[in-house]
Amino acid sequence: MVLTAFARAFRTPDLRKKLLFTLLMIVVFRVGQNLPTPNVNVEVLRQTADAAKKSNQLYGLVDL
């Protein structure tokens, strides 16, 4: 039933365009999530996050 509704949605050109755009944006986001940011030391961020976890200071992590 869900698959038939999904297949029916792809038969409508306008809805198909919107669904494909949404799926593409999800893929772009997931790929971009794994790219390193230039000039950011990942190890220092990891150490800071670990220190915030050990001291149980949520606000310290949010302030980061």
Side-chain angles (χ1 to χ4, degrees), residues 11-56:
R11 288 188 203 124
T12 307
D14 187 44
L15 196 53
R16 176 179 53 230
K17 184 178 175 183
K18 291 178 181 181
L19 285 172
L20 288 175
F21 178 78
T22 302
L23 291 173
L24 178 66
M25 288 300 107
I26 291 171
V27 168
V28 167
F29 176 77
R30 296 296 291 175
V31 168
Q33 211 174 12
N34 295 316
L35 295 176
T37 306
N39 299 325
V40 173
N41 190 342
V42 178
E43 187 58 36
V44 171
L45 280 177
R46 190 170 291 128
Q47 289 173 0
T48 306
D50 288 341
K53 286 179 189 175
K54 288 179 184 175
S55 64
N56 292 327

